[in-house]
């Protein structure tokens, strides 16, 4: 028999930061930050640090900076978000200080991972179909997402998968559909719970419409998944598929796969969330191959997870625009 398991892959993460105060005067200073990505390529970045002597950022360039007490968060500008392996970018800011001490921050973190100056290997987890498991595991893994998650579930069930739920009508449900724990999206989820019990694992796929989602919304989505799943349930989070060049879900917005992938990686790197990041690229490759190689209707064999996902991918993209799911 076949059953759903979690397949472990590995991704390199790492960064190096050079921080320098280039000018200082009574009550003010200018600092420059150089960031080098030592890990796998990233589509967007967020750099965080804490000031130890009451410094406050007053103006910035090459980044968007926010500050809450001593904690500072710098996010990429539109022109410097993508960083290949060993690629670097820099930004600067003006700040205020107490005229007594202006020490450099003791550490920095890139997308939630502390910059040690060396790349490290981080495990990532993704749902897959593997011959294993027993009858007791059937329907013990739930999922939330949009039609793209539905496509995966459809293909999974088509090849005999038993652990993960089959499709249950989530097409068109994006991040904001899942941020309210009492929304009709979660009512659909709870209907599955009433059939199969609270799942011991949940696959969370981040879906967006018009490239609209924030990390705070993703955190609310994760919290709701824990609320509706079994205590201690494992949470696996992915973005939308990273399609082959020239292929994208146009309704989700420009750079939507990169945005959702980055949000998933950020959540996985956040120790407060306790989630594992799945792989978006693997699913996209299967989708693209299924789309290119789909046989004619007369000779089409029984559906498989690859074929179903491939044939449904464009239909799934269109379903994002159909926001009438909760009316049924």
């Amino acid at each position: 028999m076949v059953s759903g398991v979690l397949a472990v892959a590995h991704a390199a993460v790492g960064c190096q930061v050079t921080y320098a105060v280039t000018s200082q005067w009574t009550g003010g200073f200018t600092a420059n930050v150089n960031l080098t990505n030592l890990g796998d390529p990233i589509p967007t970045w967020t750099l965080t640090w804490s000031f130890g002597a009451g410094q406050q950022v007053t103006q910035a360039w090459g980044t968007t900076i926010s500050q809450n007490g001593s904690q500072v968060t710098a996010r990429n500008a539109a022109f410097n978000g993508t960083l290949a392996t060993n690629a670097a970018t820099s930004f600067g800011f003006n700040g205020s200080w107490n005229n007594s001490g202006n020490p450099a921050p003791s550490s920095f973190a890139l997308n939630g991972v502390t910059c040690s100056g060396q790349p490290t290997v981080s495990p990532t987890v993704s749902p897959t179909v593997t011959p294993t498991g027993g009858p007791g595991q059937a329907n013990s893994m739930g999922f939330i997402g949009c039609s793209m998650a539905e496509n995966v579930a459809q293909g999974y069930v088509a090849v005999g998968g038993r652990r993960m739920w089959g499709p249950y009508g989530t097409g068109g449900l994006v991040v904001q559909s899942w941020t309210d724990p009492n929304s009709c999206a979660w009512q659909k989820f709870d209907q599955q719970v009433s059939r199969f019990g609270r799942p011991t694992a949940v696959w969370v796929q981040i879906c967006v419409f018009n490239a609209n989602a924030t990390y705070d919304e993703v955190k609310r989505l994760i919290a709701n998944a824990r609320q509706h799943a079994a205590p201690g349930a494992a949470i696996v989070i992915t973005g939308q598929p990273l399609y082959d060049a020239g292929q994208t879900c146009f309704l989700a917005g420009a750079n939507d796969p990169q945005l959702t992938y980055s949000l998933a990686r950020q959540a996985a790197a956040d120790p407060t969330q306790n989630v594992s990041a799945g792989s978006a690229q693997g699913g996209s490759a299967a989708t693209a191959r299924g789309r290119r190689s789909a046989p004619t209707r007369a000779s089409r064999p029984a559906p498989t997870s690859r074929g179903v996902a491939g044939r449904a991918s464009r239909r799934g993209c269109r379903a994002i625009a159909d926001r009438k799911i909760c009316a049924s």
Side-chain angles (χ1 to χ4, degrees):
M1 70 176 64
V2 292
S3 169
V5 299
L6 301 181
V8 179
H10 294 83
V13 294
C15 49
Q16 184 175 35
V17 173
T18 301
Y19 176 95
V21 174
T22 58
S23 180
Q24 185 169 286
W25 59 94
T26 302
F29 69 98
T30 298
N32 186 73
V33 180
N34 185 271
L35 167 65
T36 303
N37 174 36
L38 302 178
D40 288 346
I42 53 177
T44 60
W45 54 263
T46 299
L47 189 70
T48 56
W49 70 88
S50 293
F51 280 129
Q55 299 98 319
Q56 294 287 322
V57 176
T58 58
Q59 181 185 20
W61 50 93
T63 183
T64 300
I65 288 185
S66 59
Q67 185 169 354
N68 183 9
S70 62
Q71 183 69 29
V72 183
T73 301
R75 293 181 173 85
N76 63 272
F79 62 87
N80 63 358
T82 301
L83 291 180
T85 302
N86 294 322
T89 189
S90 62
F91 60 89
F93 62 87
N94 290 331
S96 62
W97 65 300
N98 59 15
N99 297 320
S100 176
N102 188 13
S106 59
S107 67
F108 294 83
L110 174 63
N111 292 346
V113 179
T114 300
C115 296
S116 64
Q118 297 290 333
T120 59
V121 176
S122 172
T124 61
V125 185
S126 57
T128 188
V129 179
T130 304
T132 187
Q137 295 180 328
N139 297 308
S140 62
M141 184 175 186
F143 71 90
I144 66 173
C146 58
S147 52
M148 300 180 194
E150 291 269 288
N151 294 344
V152 173
Q154 181 182 355
Y156 175 80
V157 172
V159 297
R162 300 182 66 248
R163 184 183 177 194
M164 189 170 76
W165 294 346
Y168 65 100
T170 66
L173 298 180
V174 293
V175 167
Q176 292 78 15
S177 305
W178 302 96
T179 53
D180 179 354
N182 300 312
S183 69
C184 62
W186 285 112
Q187 291 173 23
K188 285 179 172 290
F189 185 96
D190 288 342
Q191 289 174 3
Q192 295 293 94
V193 169
S194 67
R195 295 178 59 194
F196 306 122
R198 291 181 180 269
T200 57
V202 179
W203 168 35
V204 173
Q205 184 184 53
I206 301 173
C207 291
V208 297
F209 180 75
N210 199 24
N212 178 25
T214 67
Y215 184 51
D216 283 342
E217 289 174 328
V218 171
K219 289 194 293 185
R220 291 204 300 272
L221 183 154
I222 293 170
N224 292 340
R226 295 197 187 283
Q227 177 180 333
H228 288 258
I235 307 294
V236 181
I237 189 165
T238 71
Q240 294 177 199
L242 299 179
Y243 295 96
D244 290 345
Q247 302 291 332
T248 186
C249 179
F250 65 95
L251 291 170
N255 298 320
D256 63 286
Q258 292 85 351
L259 170 64
T260 60
Y261 175 72
S262 177
L263 289 169
R265 289 288 298 273
Q266 184 175 358
D270 187 342
T272 68
Q273 298 305 301
N274 191 27
V275 300
S276 302
S279 169
Q281 184 63 53
S284 66
T287 299
R289 289 193 297 270
R291 181 171 55 244
R292 288 195 299 266
S293 61
T296 62
R297 183 175 300 275
S299 62
R300 184 169 294 164
T304 65
S305 60
R306 177 177 298 176
V308 168
R311 292 195 297 275
S313 61
R314 290 179 182 173
R315 182 171 67 249
C317 177
R318 287 195 298 271
I320 294 178
D322 183 3
R323 310 298 288 274
K324 301 177 182 178
I325 303 302
C326 291
S328 58

